[in-house]
Amino acid sequence: MNDDKNEFWRKIPLWKGVNAADFLSHRWSGDDRLFNFLSAVLPDSVPYDKHSVRMQSREELIKDVLNGVRAATMTIRVTPYVLSRIDWGNPRNDPIFRQFFPMRSVMLPDHPKLSLDSLDEEGDSPVKGLVHRYPDKALFLTTTICPTYCMFCTRSYAVGGNTDTVPKRLKATAKRWDQAFSYIESQPGLHDIVVSGGDSYYLQPDQLRMIGERLIKTPNIRRIRFASKGLAVAPSRIIDEKDDWFRALADVCTRAREAYKSVALHTHFNHPNEISWVTEQACRELMKAGVMVRNQTVLLRGINDDVETMSTLIRKLADNNVFPYYVYQCDMVEKVEHLRTPLQKILDLEAQIRGTIAGFMMPQFVVDLPGGGGKRLACSYKSYDRQTGVSTFTAPALKGRDKENKVYKYYDPLLDVPSP
Ligand code: SF4
């Protein structure tokens, strides 16, 4: 997996002179605005489709992206690391480009059941920014910023900057954090906290230490997870000795072990191309520091929805001691109809991959039930009508708001529903 430490970012003409020390520094962010960047990096024309039957000019692609940005629920934000992992000779068909750059030409009209907060997180938030859905677990949304913004983000109602279509509804304030801590401390049944956002990479190291310390000291809390896509999109932060974030995380893990509690980093890789020698080095540092890392992948059409890609991803993660924890069915959020797959796809992938890797490295293939039913194994559906594309699930362990009696529905993309 080690690609001999080649300086892969230098293939981008603007960054030809950038050495490894600069590229790996967390302070270096590339100093070109995105669209200048696109103009500089794209060739005169690029293949429109996988088989290069049709080409698209550079100007047309930039216009396509600009129109996509206007329609999308997320603004564009990417890291130099992400940009340097894209095949700029064929971006339309590149699995990383397609995750972060909306192209109007590939977007499909929303399924009528898509919504902005499809998991009804706001409905399960006793305090703004704290989602308490499962009896013993809560999700603490500490920040609304991420190192990259993913088009398919389940939290597009809250995360990132306002877009032309979505004014974001959550802000990170000290008052909100205090309210969240008070709530966590008042609930003896809560044992497990996910510190997310946004992305915990965007917590300052002293904030990360403070949150970790306070949760470790809270008697009812046994397990803490920091959710961050950082390892996938900016792994250099972990190996940059001048960046204190990783040291802060390692310190919190040490403190937790002393208190006989557990801390883990939950990250988010979607494609094997996201993994380089920089990632491998970062994973080694995490392992040396005793940080448990688990991964949550989102199943995305045309990006990782084939057996070979998903198997390679799982194996590469396992080889780097990152536990492939979940593969999620893409949530029913707005403006991602083109990235969703039918339920049958996740069922097929699970069936074909199980048995090819040790059971403890086999991810759970799940659907996060629209409407707030929580995560259920995809194969646990109660019914699945492939003609209408509607599958149903129940969540008997969830209590309150009549959740235990509710039937939750996942709708396949319209593209996959046979015409009447
Ligand atoms: S990093 Fe996570 S929270 Fe941030 S935009 Fe992507 S999916 Fe959403």
Short mmCIF file of all heavy atoms in Angstrom, two decimals, residues 74 146-150 152-155 159 197-199 229 268, ligand 1:
data_model
loop_
_atom_site.label_atom_id
_atom_site.label_comp_id
_atom_site.label_asym_id
_atom_site.label_seq_id
_atom_site.Cartn_x
_atom_site.Cartn_y
_atom_site.Cartn_z
N MET A 74 -24.55 21.86 0.23
CA MET A 74 -23.27 22.07 0.92
C MET A 74 -22.38 22.96 0.06
O MET A 74 -22.36 22.84 -1.16
CB MET A 74 -22.55 20.73 1.13
CG MET A 74 -23.31 19.71 1.95
SD MET A 74 -23.64 20.21 3.64
CE MET A 74 -22.04 20.02 4.40
N CYS A 146 -16.10 21.56 9.03
CA CYS A 146 -15.37 20.34 8.70
C CYS A 146 -14.19 20.71 7.79
O CYS A 146 -14.24 21.74 7.12
CB CYS A 146 -16.24 19.37 7.91
SG CYS A 146 -17.76 18.95 8.75
N PRO A 147 -13.18 19.86 7.72
CA PRO A 147 -12.08 20.16 6.79
C PRO A 147 -12.52 20.06 5.34
O PRO A 147 -11.95 20.70 4.46
CB PRO A 147 -11.03 19.10 7.11
CG PRO A 147 -11.66 18.10 8.02
CD PRO A 147 -12.94 18.66 8.53
N THR A 148 -13.54 19.21 5.07
CA THR A 148 -14.13 19.13 3.74
C THR A 148 -15.64 19.06 3.92
O THR A 148 -16.11 18.60 4.96
CB THR A 148 -13.70 17.83 3.01
OG1 THR A 148 -13.99 16.73 3.88
CG2 THR A 148 -12.24 17.80 2.64
N TYR A 149 -16.37 19.48 2.93
CA TYR A 149 -17.82 19.33 2.99
C TYR A 149 -18.27 18.30 1.96
O TYR A 149 -17.94 18.40 0.78
CB TYR A 149 -18.52 20.66 2.77
CG TYR A 149 -18.27 21.63 3.91
CD1 TYR A 149 -17.96 22.95 3.67
CD2 TYR A 149 -18.35 21.19 5.23
CE1 TYR A 149 -17.71 23.82 4.72
CE2 TYR A 149 -18.10 22.05 6.29
CZ TYR A 149 -17.78 23.36 6.03
OH TYR A 149 -17.52 24.22 7.07
N CYS A 150 -19.00 17.28 2.44
CA CYS A 150 -19.45 16.20 1.57
C CYS A 150 -20.87 16.49 1.10
O CYS A 150 -21.72 16.82 1.92
CB CYS A 150 -19.43 14.88 2.32
SG CYS A 150 -17.98 14.68 3.37
N PHE A 152 -23.22 14.63 0.38
CA PHE A 152 -24.24 13.70 0.88
C PHE A 152 -24.35 13.78 2.39
O PHE A 152 -24.91 12.88 3.02
CB PHE A 152 -23.86 12.27 0.46
CG PHE A 152 -22.41 12.00 0.70
CD1 PHE A 152 -21.97 11.55 1.94
CD2 PHE A 152 -21.46 12.26 -0.27
CE1 PHE A 152 -20.63 11.34 2.19
CE2 PHE A 152 -20.10 12.05 -0.03
CZ PHE A 152 -19.69 11.59 1.20
N CYS A 153 -23.81 14.83 3.00
CA CYS A 153 -23.77 14.91 4.46
C CYS A 153 -25.18 14.81 5.04
O CYS A 153 -26.09 15.52 4.63
CB CYS A 153 -23.14 16.22 4.91
SG CYS A 153 -23.07 16.37 6.69
N THR A 154 -25.32 13.95 6.03
CA THR A 154 -26.62 13.77 6.65
C THR A 154 -27.02 14.99 7.47
O THR A 154 -28.17 15.19 7.79
CB THR A 154 -26.60 12.50 7.54
OG1 THR A 154 -27.91 12.09 7.79
CG2 THR A 154 -25.89 12.73 8.86
N ARG A 155 -25.99 15.78 7.79
CA ARG A 155 -26.24 16.95 8.64
C ARG A 155 -26.16 18.23 7.81
O ARG A 155 -25.72 19.27 8.30
CB ARG A 155 -25.18 16.94 9.76
CG ARG A 155 -25.71 17.32 11.11
CD ARG A 155 -24.91 16.69 12.22
NE ARG A 155 -25.29 15.30 12.38
CZ ARG A 155 -24.42 14.31 12.57
NH1 ARG A 155 -23.14 14.55 12.63
NH2 ARG A 155 -24.85 13.07 12.72
N VAL A 159 -24.43 21.78 8.96
CA VAL A 159 -22.98 21.84 8.80
C VAL A 159 -22.57 22.72 7.62
O VAL A 159 -23.22 22.69 6.58
CB VAL A 159 -22.43 20.39 8.62
CG1 VAL A 159 -21.01 20.40 8.12
CG2 VAL A 159 -22.52 19.64 9.94
N GLY A 197 -19.87 16.86 14.82
CA GLY A 197 -20.15 18.21 14.34
C GLY A 197 -20.98 18.12 13.09
O GLY A 197 -21.93 17.34 13.06
N GLY A 198 -20.48 18.75 12.17
CA GLY A 198 -19.12 19.16 11.89
C GLY A 198 -18.14 18.05 12.23
O GLY A 198 -18.45 16.88 12.20
N ASP A 199 -16.96 18.46 12.49
CA ASP A 199 -15.85 17.52 12.57
C ASP A 199 -14.97 17.91 13.75
O ASP A 199 -14.58 19.07 13.88
CB ASP A 199 -15.06 17.61 11.26
CG ASP A 199 -14.06 16.51 11.10
OD1 ASP A 199 -13.16 16.40 11.96
OD2 ASP A 199 -14.15 15.76 10.11
N LYS A 229 -13.46 13.23 9.97
CA LYS A 229 -13.05 12.75 8.65
C LYS A 229 -11.58 13.11 8.39
O LYS A 229 -11.02 12.79 7.35
CB LYS A 229 -13.96 13.39 7.59
CG LYS A 229 -13.92 12.72 6.23
CD LYS A 229 -14.99 13.31 5.33
CE LYS A 229 -14.80 12.93 3.88
NZ LYS A 229 -15.03 11.52 3.61
N HIS A 268 -13.84 8.45 8.43
CA HIS A 268 -14.80 8.35 7.32
C HIS A 268 -14.06 8.29 5.98
O HIS A 268 -13.85 9.31 5.35
CB HIS A 268 -15.72 9.59 7.42
CG HIS A 268 -16.71 9.75 6.31
ND1 HIS A 268 -17.51 10.88 6.18
CD2 HIS A 268 -17.07 8.95 5.28
CE1 HIS A 268 -18.28 10.75 5.12
NE2 HIS A 268 -18.03 9.59 4.56
S1 SF4 B 1 -17.06 15.50 7.15
FE1 SF4 B 1 -18.86 14.47 8.03
S2 SF4 B 1 -20.04 16.10 9.04
FE2 SF4 B 1 -18.55 17.08 7.64
S3 SF4 B 1 -19.65 17.37 5.72
FE3 SF4 B 1 -18.61 15.39 5.54
S4 SF4 B 1 -20.14 13.90 6.25
FE4 SF4 B 1 -20.81 15.92 6.95
#
